[in-house]
């Protein structure tokens, strides 16, 4: 399909190359007329608030901590911020992708270490980069069904310490050795060991079905949609610049400080934000397809450690507790497509579907928050969303949905700059959308993300009238 995309896009009337420099426009946002969205749940489910630990480059300050320890800080930070007694939480859902084998149900272990009652059930979900989105929407379903009233959802990822396995041959031999009854049987097994048994199985950010790393997919996708290296570098620079600006203005109020275990150090900001120059970025070599690829370390999201958590409940319950929610969780949809050639196009497929479900148009969206896996992935999604040809040939739609207004898009930076702890990003996207709606006086926000396996999510949030900047 990649070659087909290149050939057909070369012939089709594409929009002009995206002018990334206009993303930094400070022009005032023109708000859309107020619309109402049908509440599908009968509960008017609200997002009360969300927090996250600082997102840190893997191998830095969290390196000696375990995932459930980092997750504990997000859970405790959420309780401290909302002033909600932990005894009132009915259920906890946490996401993780690269799982620590000692804490297989990390939701439960994190909850116990955070001081939640051992009577509070918790379960863990995994859906790659949209795991905490899945946690939130699973919670919506539980509340809508009347099973629970107050739910905490979140996610954690620790890329500093990932499980590395013995080879399958060695694992099989060790299992047989465990069953061996006599010293002779054990010696016979030891004698059968060969040098290749000692080669470990290292985890990789790659697709099981295709064997291709996500970086290679991003490079091919950028080439298919004719996204240049210069465009990608400009977009990456925008992300870092906007994240740095948002932090300096005090907008990153979702961050809760973390005291690093085994030291007196307290971390209170993301450490991957780097405001560089176009000239410096242009000097970097391709990271995946060498020597002619366009994806580099600077225009890709980086391996990150961090955790997030949020509080959701019905509007009625929030009023009973005297809480002031930030937004309504109005609608969502999950999508999936070809995991090889369309691996990173989740936002393209999810956006028109979730808009239609909510009865909204592109022009109704005041705040856009997309997960930035790669700069090329974001720009390729923009091209696909703005192409009638792609809509007709791959999405079964009569016309394009159009691309987001860049003046409303990821205005506080994104995963390229803030970081991307896989399972924690969904909550980060949601709380940033909610906080931006309040600060920018908007009504509707749209959240979208791609995920491994060729999946994606789209979510609609609506500013709550009681929402306050924090």
């Amino acid at each position: 399909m990649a070659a087909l995309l290149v050939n057909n896009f070369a012939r089709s009337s594409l929009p002009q190359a995206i002018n990334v420099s206009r993303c930094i426009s400070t022009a005032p946002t023109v708000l859309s007329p107020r619309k109402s969205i049908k509440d599908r749940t009968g509960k008017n489910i609200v997002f009360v608030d969300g927090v996250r630990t600082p997102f840190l480059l893997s191998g830095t300050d969290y390196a000696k901590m375990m995932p459930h320890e980092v997750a504990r800080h997000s859970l405790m930070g959420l309780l401290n911020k909302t002033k909600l007694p932990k005894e009132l939480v009915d259920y906890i859902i946490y996401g993780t992708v690269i799982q620590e084998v000692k804490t297989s149900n990390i939701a439960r272990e994190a909850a116990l270490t955070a001081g939640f009652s051992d009577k509070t059930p918790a379960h863990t979900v995994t859906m790659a980069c949209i795991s905490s989105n899945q946690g939130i929407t699973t919670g919506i379903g539980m509340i809508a069904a009347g099973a629970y009233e107050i739910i905490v959802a979140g996610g954690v990822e620790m890329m500093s310490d990932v499980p590395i396995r013995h080879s399958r041959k060695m694992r099989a031999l060790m299992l047989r050795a465990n069953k061996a009854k006599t010293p002779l049987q054990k010696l016979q097994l030891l004698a059968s060991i060969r040098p290749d048994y000692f080669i470990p199985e290292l985890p990789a950010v790659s697709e099981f079905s295709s064997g291709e790393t996500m970086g290679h997919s991003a490079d091919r996708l950028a080439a298919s949609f004719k996204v240049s290296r210069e465009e990608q570098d400009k977009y990456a620079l925008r992300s870092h610049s906007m994240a740095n600006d948002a932090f300096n203005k005090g907008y990153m109020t979702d961050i809760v400080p973390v005291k690093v275990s085994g030291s007196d150090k307290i971390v209170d900001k993301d450490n991957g934000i780097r405001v560089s120059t176009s000239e410096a970025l242009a000097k970097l070599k391709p990271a995946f397809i060498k020597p002619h690829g366009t994806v580099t370390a600077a225009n890709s999201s980086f391996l990150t450690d961090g955790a997030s958590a949020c509080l959701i409940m019905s509007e009625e319950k929030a009023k009973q507790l005297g809480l002031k929610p930030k937004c309504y969780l109005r609608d969502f949809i999950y999508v999936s497509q070809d995991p090889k050639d369309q691996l990173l196009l989740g936002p393209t497929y999810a956006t028109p579907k979730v808009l239609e479900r909510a009865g909204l148009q592109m022009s109704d969206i005041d705040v856009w928050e997309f997960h930035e896996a790669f700069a090329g992935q974001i720009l390729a999604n923009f091209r696909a969303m703005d192409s009638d040809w792609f809509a007709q040939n791959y999405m079964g739609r009569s016309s394009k949905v159009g691309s987001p207004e860049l003046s409303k898009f990821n205005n506080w930076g994104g995963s390229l700059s803030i970081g991307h702890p896989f399972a924690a990003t969904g909550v980060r996207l949601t709380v940033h959308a909610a906080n931006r709606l309040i600060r920018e006086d908007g009504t509707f926000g749209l959240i979208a993300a791609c995920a491994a396996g060729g999946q994606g999510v789209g979510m609609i949030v609506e500013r709550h009238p009681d929402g306050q900047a924090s």
Side-chain angles (χ1 to χ4, degrees), residues 208-231:
F208 181 80
S209 59
S210 67
E212 187 175 57
T213 68
M214 195 168 282
H216 279 86
S217 294
D219 235 327
R220 288 193 301 102
L221 187 69
S224 296
F225 285 90
K226 297 186 177 297
V227 180
S228 70
R229 164 71 181 272
E230 182 182 9
E231 286 179 284

Side-chain angles (χ1 to χ4, degrees), residues 34-253:
R34 174 80 178 185
K35 286 190 176 182
S36 60
I37 296 181
K38 179 183 177 182
D39 172 39
R40 297 177 181 276
T41 67
K43 299 288 182 69
N44 265 334
I45 296 171
V46 294
F47 180 93
V48 176
D49 211 339
V51 303
R52 62 185 178 90
T53 68
F55 285 0
L56 304 185
L57 290 155
S58 64
T60 58
D61 287 315
Y62 297 153
K64 294 183 179 180
M65 298 174 69
M66 290 188 68
H68 73 281
E69 292 181 87
V70 180
R72 175 176 69 89
H73 284 283
S74 67
L75 292 172
M76 293 175 63
L78 180 67
L79 294 175
N80 290 335
K81 189 171 186 181
T82 60
K83 308 302 180 188
L84 182 76
K86 60 175 71 74
E87 295 78 17
L88 296 183
V89 175
D90 295 318
Y91 204 98
I92 298 169
I93 310 166
Y94 232 70
T96 197
V97 180
I98 310 297
Q99 188 167 298
E100 165 58 58
V101 294
K102 292 181 179 179
T103 53
S104 57
N105 185 2
I106 197 165
R108 176 65 167 169
E109 303 304 332
L112 290 175
T113 56
F116 284 87
S117 167
D118 58 10
K119 301 297 188 291
T120 305
H123 82 266
T124 301
V125 298
T126 185
M127 201 174 181
C129 302
I130 55 178
S131 293
S132 57
N133 299 89
Q134 183 58 252
I136 292 171
T137 58
T138 298
I140 290 172
M142 289 178 165
I143 296 170
Y148 301 101
E149 290 187 302
I150 301 175
I151 290 180
V152 169
V156 63
E157 215 65 55
M158 283 289 288
M159 299 306 293
S160 289
D161 182 24
V162 297
I164 298 173
R165 304 199 299 180
H166 283 291
S167 67
R168 186 160 194 152
K169 292 177 181 179
M170 179 62 85
R171 297 199 307 271
L173 184 143
M174 293 170 74
L175 288 172
R176 293 198 302 272
N178 193 48
K179 296 178 182 179
K181 299 185 182 300
T182 68
L184 179 60
Q185 289 174 329
K186 293 180 179 180
L187 285 172
Q188 288 174 333
L189 287 170
L190 288 173
S192 68
I193 294 176
R194 298 293 179 267
D196 64 327
Y197 283 26
F198 293 97
I199 300 174
E201 291 182 2
L202 300 174
V205 184
S206 61
E207 292 298 303
F208 181 80
S209 59
S210 67
E212 187 175 57
T213 68
M214 195 168 282
H216 279 86
S217 294
D219 235 327
R220 288 193 301 102
L221 187 69
S224 296
F225 285 90
K226 297 186 177 297
V227 180
S228 70
R229 164 71 181 272
E230 182 182 9
E231 286 179 284
Q232 293 174 61
D233 286 349
K234 283 184 178 179
Y235 184 87
L237 182 57
R238 172 194 188 262
S239 182
H240 283 268
S241 298
M242 288 192 156
N244 186 64
D245 186 54
F247 184 85
N248 290 336
K249 289 180 177 178
Y251 293 167
M252 301 291 196
T253 56

Side-chain angles (χ1 to χ4, degrees), residues 242-243 246 251-252 410-414 418 432 435-436 439-440:
M242 288 192 156
Y251 293 167
M252 301 291 196
N410 287 16
N411 285 357
W412 294 356
I418 294 169
H432 277 200
N435 284 337
R436 282 186 57 205
R439 288 193 177 274
E440 297 170 22

Side-chain angles (χ1 to χ4, degrees), residues 324-341:
K324 296 184 181 299
K326 289 186 177 293
C327 66
Y328 296 102
L329 295 166
R330 284 305 193 198
D331 226 321
F332 66 88
I333 195 164
Y334 290 93
V335 296
S336 59
Q337 55 280 338
D338 172 17
K340 182 173 175 62
D341 291 320

